[in-house]
Amino acid sequence: MKRSFVIFCTALIFVFTAAQGFAAMPSITPVIEKAMTTLQVIQADRNFLVLTNATAVMTDGKSSLPILEQVQEATGAIVGKGNLLFFQRAQDAPLRIMLFKKSDRSAVIISADNSKWAVDTLDFAPKTVSDPNFWKDAKDKYAAGKDLFTLATLANAWAEGAPYDFLKSAELHNHICPGLTSGYLMAHFILDHYPLGKGQKYTIISSPVWCKEDAFQVVMDQTPGKRGLVVKPLSEEQKEKISIPNPAGMVLIWDQKLKKGKGVALSFDFNTLKGLYPKETPKAASILYTASYLSSPDKFVSVAKEFDLDETMFNAIREAGGNPWEPAGLTTP
Ligand SMILES: [Zn+2]
């Protein structure tokens, strides 16, 4: 009797421990419903946004898509309505789901946190995100602290009516900063002023490198994998040697059949962009000032030089910088 009791207890402890170890997240639906009540929004309302990294991150070691399905069903937010956005994160990053109301910019952020849902209720109103004090302790103060910059910038860009291709660029870059904005403006400058003729293709030489590269990929479909985007970091010394003002990159327009093309060196004027907002503005608030200029690339981007390309020059610009395997000692003499 005594022995069987011990076995029973051992088994019970084992089952209990195993259950704890493999505990799945509880259903998110009631948490979402509560958030909607807090924000006073209803399903049919397009004026609230759902922003999540559910398409990128794993939850309990599994795809987060089933959770996203519940979120979509409970909120009614869908991509086609423009009120469901995603942001990129590493697969082991915690799941975040934010509900954000346009009118007063209040937000409820739900985070996966050790088999439970952690909920932050706050606002990203201009007054809040423009206050440097808010950002000082935000990382530690909120469960979603590490993603607050991402969530605040994307939500405010959406609330300010930023174009969808800008929001898509921000999804990939996972935040909005003056650097990403410069890439978006450059991409549209190129599309506006240098539309491709028949048989032509773009190669963007993005050098020096800053956040802008992610906008070229989304707006222009010029990606490194398809060789449409060549990303070349430069040393300070290399940067100083560039002879054009505010160098931001080059676009090469190449005709493979005719074996000739045109190169355009572009300048980006950060002084004008940063001149749009007061000096002490936190980075997260800059989008509040720059959003209305996203359709005015000519205000910030200019042509520093145009030049003709032959095949030797085209290849030399794309391939310049030497073979990276050489300094690694992995080439034969
Ligand atoms: Zn950035």
Side-chain angles (χ1 to χ4, degrees):
M1 185 86 170
K2 206 176 170 189
R3 199 173 153 214
S4 63
F5 183 69
V6 170
I7 292 169
F8 173 72
C9 285
T10 311
L12 200 67
I13 287 166
F14 176 77
V15 168
F16 185 70
T17 313
Q20 285 249 308
F22 300 108
M25 294 297 299
S27 167
I28 197 162
T29 305
V31 191
I32 293 284
E33 282 166 354
K34 196 173 168 202
M36 289 174 75
T37 309
T38 306
L39 295 178
Q40 293 178 300
V41 292
I42 52 162
Q43 269 215 0
D45 194 348
R46 284 167 183 254
N47 290 315
F48 81 96
L49 168 74
V50 173
L51 175 59
T52 176
N53 59 2
T55 45
V57 307
M58 311 281 274
T59 305
D60 289 336
K62 295 192 295 277
S63 161
S64 304
L65 289 185
I67 299 169
L68 177 59
E69 186 183 359
Q70 291 177 50
V71 173
Q72 286 188 252
E73 271 167 13
T75 59
I78 54 172
V79 173
K81 277 187 194 167
N83 67 343
L84 177 58
L85 295 175
F86 307 106
F87 64 95
Q88 186 64 32
R89 274 283 180 247
Q91 293 192 355
D92 60 353
L95 175 67
R96 315 272 189 216
I97 296 142
M98 175 172 78
L99 276 70
F100 173 80
K101 190 179 179 183
K102 191 187 269 183
S103 58
D104 61 1
R105 310 209 180 183
S106 54
V108 175
I109 308 166
I110 302 156
S111 303
D113 181 19
N114 291 321
S115 304
K116 62 174 174 35
W117 299 113
V119 179
D120 295 308
T121 305
L122 69 165
D123 78 84
F124 290 136
K127 192 170 173 262
T128 308
V129 296
S130 301
D131 180 3
N133 285 324
F134 170 77
W135 293 103
K136 255 182 210 155
D137 61 350
K139 259 197 184 124
D140 304 317
K141 200 170 161 187
Y142 300 100
K146 280 189 183 147
D147 285 333
L148 236 47
F149 182 84
T150 294
L151 295 163
T153 52
L154 264 104
N156 271 326
W158 173 82
E160 294 291 325
Y164 191 60
D165 60 348
F166 181 75
L167 298 172
K168 292 298 290 175
S169 305
E171 284 186 338
L172 174 65
H173 193 55
N174 80 30
H175 64 264
I176 294 166
C177 56
L180 181 77
T181 305
S182 72
Y184 180 82
L185 292 163
M186 284 175 71
H188 277 284
F189 182 91
I190 294 167
L191 294 173
D192 287 352
H193 295 282
Y194 297 96
L196 291 179
K198 200 168 174 258
Q200 293 179 331
K201 62 166 191 165
Y202 293 123
T203 305
I204 311 285
I205 309 292
S206 199
S207 178
V209 177
W210 61 77
C211 307
K212 64 187 180 315
E213 290 68 33
D214 292 346
F216 296 134
Q217 298 181 59
V218 173
V219 178
M220 302 181 74
D221 190 32
Q222 300 300 324
T223 67
K226 291 175 285 192
R227 301 181 191 210
L229 176 63
V230 180
V231 181
K232 291 180 185 245
L234 298 179
S235 67
E236 282 308 314
E237 204 182 358
Q238 286 173 315
K239 269 189 235 174
E240 275 165 25
K241 285 187 178 158
I242 303 173
S243 59
I244 69 157
N246 305 319
M250 290 178 263
V251 55
L252 310 180
I253 298 158
W254 183 249
D255 189 314
Q256 182 62 23
K257 228 183 214 166
L258 301 174
K259 302 275 181 219
K260 62 177 193 175
K262 180 155 85 173
V264 184
L266 297 171
S267 299
F268 189 87
D269 182 0
F270 270 109
N271 286 337
T272 302
L273 186 72
K274 291 183 176 173
L276 296 175
Y277 44 88
K279 229 181 173 175
E280 303 308 317
T281 305
K283 218 180 188 182
S286 63
I287 185 62
L288 298 170
Y289 300 88
T290 55
S292 55
Y293 291 88
L294 292 170
S295 53
S296 310
D298 293 15
K299 205 172 159 54
F300 312 94
V301 189
S302 57
V303 174
K305 201 174 175 355
E306 283 189 5
F307 47 92
D308 291 328
L309 282 177
D310 62 20
E311 197 167 25
T312 313
M313 197 173 171
F314 177 57
N315 287 333
I317 294 173
R318 290 192 304 161
E319 292 160 10
N323 182 348
W325 296 84
E326 230 169 66
L330 295 168
T331 52
T332 48

